[in-house]
Amino acid sequence: MDEQLTMFRDRFEATPERHEGLSYDVLESRLTPSKRTALAWMEQTGGEPNVVALNGRLVIVDTAKESPAGRRSVCLDESARLGRKKNASAASVESMIETLEVHLLTPEQYQELQTQFSFDEKTSSWLATPDVIRQKGGALYGDRRYETTFIYHNGADSYYASRGFRVCIELDYSKNTLRLK
């Protein structure tokens, strides 16, 4: 885990404009063991986590240029994966993150993050999907093409080699105050 924290720290310190006013030492002192575990997993699976502001809050989020390589070819959730008649994926987003203190990005977070830097120009990422869509077998995903962010729908049981998912870890920081809760 120390190697992953070193990589995270280096990335954090190389991009101070993403988290202006927040020192790494203060951030690290507030990372609980479960958040450290989640952060290490994000790093190990290719997410290139960093701290950014989303909706006025600082969060740790995947900043990899393309959907994390270690999280591709998965269905959205277990019920969709198990419901496939044949060729089910080896895992689902739900099964991969169920024990971690992370959240799948919402469509709104995905779109806001795309205004800060461009990503998923060759891949796509599953997004948190409202229950009303899931109940009908659907799921949402996003990507960026033609300098535009798109949010689409697909069957939740589908999976593709170029579709993965991005997550975030909630922090107790407000972008405006940087006050600890």
Side-chain angles (χ1 to χ4, degrees), residues 35 38-39 42 58-61 101-102 167-171:
K35 284 183 168 120
L39 180 60
M42 289 171 74
L58 292 175
V59 297
I60 298 172
V61 69
E101 194 174 328
V102 298
V167 296
C168 69
I169 299 173
E170 300 291 331
L171 297 174

Side-chain angles (χ1 to χ4, degrees), residues 10-180:
D10 291 347
R11 191 176 303 110
F12 178 93
E13 291 176 346
T15 56
E17 68 282 358
R18 290 187 176 170
H19 36 74
E20 192 174 334
L22 177 62
S23 77
Y24 183 81
D25 291 336
V26 169
L27 172 65
E28 186 178 37
S29 72
R30 299 291 292 182
L31 290 176
T32 63
S34 62
K35 284 183 168 120
R36 286 173 186 264
T37 298
L39 180 60
W41 175 83
M42 289 171 74
E43 198 71 68
Q44 289 167 350
T45 57
E48 299 178 18
N50 202 347
V51 176
V52 301
L54 287 179
N55 196 25
R57 309 278 309 152
L58 292 175
V59 297
I60 298 172
V61 69
D62 293 309
T63 62
K65 185 74 175 153
E66 301 301 339
S67 196
R71 300 186 221 154
R72 295 185 194 166
S73 297
V74 295
C75 293
L76 182 64
D77 58 35
E78 276 300 284
S79 63
R81 186 183 80 78
L82 296 172
R84 279 188 69 98
K85 292 186 170 118
K86 55 189 209 177
N87 301 322
S89 63
S92 68
V93 173
E94 182 179 70
S95 69
M96 291 178 77
I97 67 172
E98 69 184 338
T99 62
L100 298 169
E101 194 174 328
V102 298
H103 304 282
L104 192 59
L105 289 183
T106 67
E108 296 79 17
Q109 288 172 321
Y110 187 86
Q111 288 175 314
E112 183 179 348
L113 197 58
Q114 284 280 9
T115 67
Q116 297 178 34
F117 61 97
S118 297
F119 57 92
D120 279 348
E121 294 176 336
K122 296 177 185 170
T123 59
S124 61
S125 294
W126 286 117
L127 301 172
T129 301
D131 287 340
V132 67
I133 295 172
R134 274 303 298 119
Q135 290 167 359
K136 295 177 181 178
L140 300 178
Y141 70 96
D143 66 23
R144 184 171 181 87
R145 305 290 191 270
Y146 314 108
E147 299 179 18
T148 304
T149 302
F150 293 94
I151 304 297
Y152 308 93
H153 63 90
N154 206 191
D157 64 345
S158 63
Y159 63 96
Y160 303 94
S162 63
R163 182 170 308 146
F165 63 97
R166 295 170 182 275
V167 296
C168 69
I169 299 173
E170 300 291 331
L171 297 174
D172 295 332
Y173 296 104
S174 165
K175 179 183 174 188
N176 296 330
T177 63
L178 291 178
R179 221 180 289 170
L180 299 176

